[in-house]
Amino acid sequence: MQKRFYLETFGCQMNVVDSERIVSMLGEIGYLQVDAADDADLVLLNTCSVRDKAERKVYGHLGRFKPIKDARPALIIGVGGCVAEQEGEKMLKEVPYLDLVFGTHNVHRLPELVQQAEAGNRRLSVTGFLDQETRLNLFPQRSELDTVTRFVTVMQGCDNFCTYCIVPHVRGREISRASAEIVREVEALVAQGAREVTLLGQNVNSYGNKEDGEISFAQLVRRVAAVEGLLRLRFTTSHPKDLSDELIACFAELDNLCHQLHLPVQCGSNAILTQMNRDYSREDYLQTVHKLKAACPDIRLSTDIIVGFPGETEEDFQQTLALVDEVGYADAFTFLYSKRTGTPAAELEDKTGARIKQQRFERLLELQQSRSREIWESDLGHEFEVLVEGESKQGDGQMFGRTTANRIVNFAGTPDMIGTLVDVKITRVFRNSNLGERVVS
Ligand code: 5AD
Ligand code: SF4
């Protein structure tokens, strides 16, 4: 009988890409993906440890699988991703019914581990970082997905060591993939039917900095944008300190570079930015935003903000509110600071109570939601080019796609539009998506 696996993915796009790879590798050893754990032979969680909440979720989710394992001891349960990297064998001790733990640098070993587990050799853990050359050879390759929008990993890891962040500890140092290989992959994806590509990395702006003779990220963006048939290009995530003028100029010059950028600010106070080791000031950040808007007046920006970093005062927090108001983000991901063991910020004194932090969080959310609403509502009645991605979940002949600003739009259409650009007039604005009707000229 066909072997079946169930996979759940948490966290950032890096994990999403790793999961794509897991799906294709497991396919090669005879596993079919199913969407419920109950009838699977193999259950995998690809985990995130960026905040405490995400980490606790992993243990909660594993608990859900225990009754299934009790009923069917042959079931193989595995955990990968950042929690796996961080906890390693400890997870096997804490979760007696767990079979496999595979870290962020060892995703490629999963098939071998699964085969060992099938043979009765369980309770295996592989974690630890690999040397740069081995990593380069293991960069995620394109999988067999045939979606209109695809991710291409251009670099991995992070050398920034923001004081709150666990990522450099669980993903390792920065490493960039050869530009020629990236361009070849994008060409292959377009030949497979992709029309939009997002270049992916923890900090794409420092692409190639460590590799002798490699081109800059702005040059890479230009090369990829020139791939024939590629209708749209995005990239994420950008660190504000490394966003070059050359890259900003790309927004003005390249027709297929989308008018959207995720630019995590984290905080609006210089004192806290210094404590966070972000390496830019509030003024630097605002100047970068100013340049972006000058190069691309309709650019939509999004950001990440941490509320309640150790030592954050009411004045610091007000600086964040003022910055959010000034920039006018289309979207913001706001987080309560979460202490991560092993990071420098975990050692800082933190006198602000949880209640005050929660209130700040809610004040920020309220401001951001009203700014977001204003921005998206300004689209009402206007026409946008939408790259059609598929049939909408709502059914009823509704299709969905996104605007250059990355806004989801649902509209009445037909499946033959998938992969094409259509003009849609926005008729209603919801919190996370717009409704529109097709404009035929
Ligand atoms: N606490 C809260 N938020 C965090 N982030 C990263 N580390 C922490 C932490 N310890 C947020 C940052 C980052 C996003 C991916 O997660 O805002 O940009
Ligand atoms: Fe973490 Fe900072 Fe690196 Fe982003 S840039 S992954 S926040 S250390």
Side-chain angles (χ1 to χ4, degrees):
M1 210 171 81
Q2 172 92 58
K3 295 178 287 186
R4 287 161 300 191
F5 76 99
Y6 170 76
L7 168 67
E8 256 182 77
T9 307
F10 302 87
C12 68
Q13 296 305 337
M14 292 291 175
N15 274 6
V16 173
V17 169
D18 282 343
S19 283
E20 282 183 12
R21 187 146 154 247
I22 289 174
V23 172
S24 66
M25 286 189 307
L26 291 178
E28 280 165 27
I29 59 164
Y31 277 86
L32 179 79
Q33 190 171 17
V34 290
D35 52 17
D38 301 311
D39 49 25
D41 305 288
L42 168 67
V43 166
L44 295 171
L45 297 183
N46 193 0
T47 63
C48 169
S49 64
V50 76
R51 285 169 296 274
D52 185 45
K53 213 163 136 189
E55 199 177 313
R56 275 196 316 249
K57 256 194 205 163
V58 175
Y59 287 98
H61 277 283
L62 281 171
R64 264 181 22 213
F65 304 134
K66 180 161 189 305
I68 312 177
K69 178 91 168 184
D70 285 343
R72 277 194 296 122
L75 173 70
I76 303 168
I77 303 182
V79 173
C82 296
V83 178
E85 184 61 48
Q86 196 179 295
E87 302 287 297
E89 279 188 22
K90 255 196 332 203
M91 287 199 90
L92 292 177
K93 289 210 185 81
E94 274 189 46
V95 186
Y97 50 89
L98 183 60
D99 298 298
L100 307 174
V101 176
F102 55 104
T104 54
H105 284 201
N106 285 286
V107 180
H108 63 287
R109 291 190 56 192
L110 183 62
E112 162 206 332
L113 292 172
V114 169
Q115 282 167 333
Q116 284 207 40
E118 286 172 345
N121 196 0
R122 300 198 171 199
R123 313 280 289 157
L124 307 171
S125 161
V126 285
T127 55
F129 293 159
L130 302 175
D131 63 72
Q132 300 292 74
E133 199 184 318
T134 315
R135 281 176 79 196
L136 260 186
N137 291 328
L138 289 170
F139 252 86
Q141 299 294 312
R142 82 200 144 92
S143 53
E144 295 310 310
L145 286 180
D146 59 356
T147 47
V148 173
T149 61
R150 299 293 302 266
F151 291 105
V152 173
T153 312
V154 301
M155 56 86 65
Q156 285 185 331
C158 182
D159 286 355
N160 287 318
F161 291 95
C162 300
T163 55
Y164 51 81
C165 188
I166 197 78
V167 167
H169 307 269
V170 289
R171 286 267 167 191
R173 296 296 78 74
E174 278 179 14
I175 184 172
S176 298
R177 193 176 173 196
S179 50
E181 205 184 298
I182 295 167
V183 173
R184 267 202 303 277
E185 179 166 336
V186 174
E187 287 167 348
L189 290 172
V190 171
Q192 258 181 24
R195 294 293 170 262
E196 175 179 308
V197 159
T198 302
L199 304 180
L200 202 62
Q202 226 57 250
N203 178 17
V204 289
N205 304 145
S206 58
Y207 170 84
N209 283 358
K210 288 161 77 175
E211 285 74 15
D212 282 344
E214 191 48 277
I215 58 176
S216 69
F217 185 63
Q219 286 166 321
L220 178 69
V221 165
R222 285 180 201 280
R223 285 207 193 158
V224 172
V227 168
E228 200 160 332
L230 185 71
L231 299 178
R232 284 181 172 181
L233 176 60
R234 306 181 195 271
F235 55 85
T236 201
T237 296
S238 293
H239 193 304
K241 80 175 163 67
D242 299 317
L243 195 83
S244 65
D245 288 346
E246 192 191 359
L247 187 56
I248 293 175
C250 289
F251 284 99
E253 289 164 25
L254 302 174
D255 287 342
N256 52 358
L257 182 61
C258 289
H259 294 186
Q260 168 251 326
L261 183 68
H262 185 61
L263 197 61
V265 66
Q266 311 298 359
C267 175
S269 144
N270 281 336
I272 299 293
L273 286 170
T274 305
Q275 289 284 309
M276 287 177 161
N277 192 31
R278 288 292 287 175
D279 217 14
Y280 55 83
S281 66
R282 170 193 182 85
E283 294 73 26
D284 296 335
Y285 185 91
L286 287 171
Q287 195 186 0
T288 301
V289 167
H290 180 76
K291 285 187 198 163
L292 282 163
K293 288 183 177 174
C296 182
D298 65 345
I299 195 164
R300 293 268 159 102
L301 300 172
S302 58
T303 200
D304 292 342
I305 298 173
I306 298 177
V307 175
F309 185 81
E312 182 191 71
T313 63
E314 172 62 23
E315 289 70 42
D316 291 322
F317 177 64
Q318 284 186 11
Q319 294 264 296
T320 298
L321 289 180
L323 182 134
V324 165
D325 202 32
E326 181 170 344
V327 174
Y329 293 107
D331 289 299
F333 302 91
T334 52
F335 309 103
L336 269 174
Y337 169 70
S338 167
K339 188 170 169 172
R340 308 282 56 210
T341 310
T343 63
E347 309 300 320
L348 296 174
E349 197 184 2
D350 189 5
K351 288 198 194 129
T352 318
R355 210 169 56 93
I356 297 202
K357 289 189 182 187
Q358 185 62 35
Q359 283 168 354
R360 284 182 192 160
F361 183 80
E362 281 159 23
R363 284 159 68 196
L364 175 62
L365 202 64
E366 198 180 322
L367 171 66
Q368 178 49 40
Q369 282 178 352
S370 91
R371 294 294 273 129
S372 252
R373 209 175 313 121
E374 260 170 56
I375 290 168
W376 293 120
E377 280 180 359
S378 71
D379 287 352
L380 201 63
H382 294 280
E383 280 174 31
F384 293 90
E385 256 187 353
V386 169
L387 176 60
V388 185
E389 289 179 35
E391 291 181 59
S392 150
K393 285 195 195 89
Q394 278 102 318
D396 308 339
Q398 292 270 308
M399 304 300 290
F400 83 97
R402 278 174 302 148
T403 64
T404 181
N406 217 15
R407 182 71 165 173
I408 291 181
V409 179
N410 292 293
F411 66 99
T414 45
D416 58 300
M417 293 173 182
I418 294 172
T420 67
L421 290 166
V422 300
D423 290 326
V424 176
K425 182 172 165 182
I426 304 303
T427 53
R428 281 191 74 178
V429 176
F430 300 102
R431 193 188 234 173
N432 295 315
S433 65
N434 288 354
L435 190 67
E437 51 196 36
R438 191 163 175 231
V439 185
V440 190
S441 47

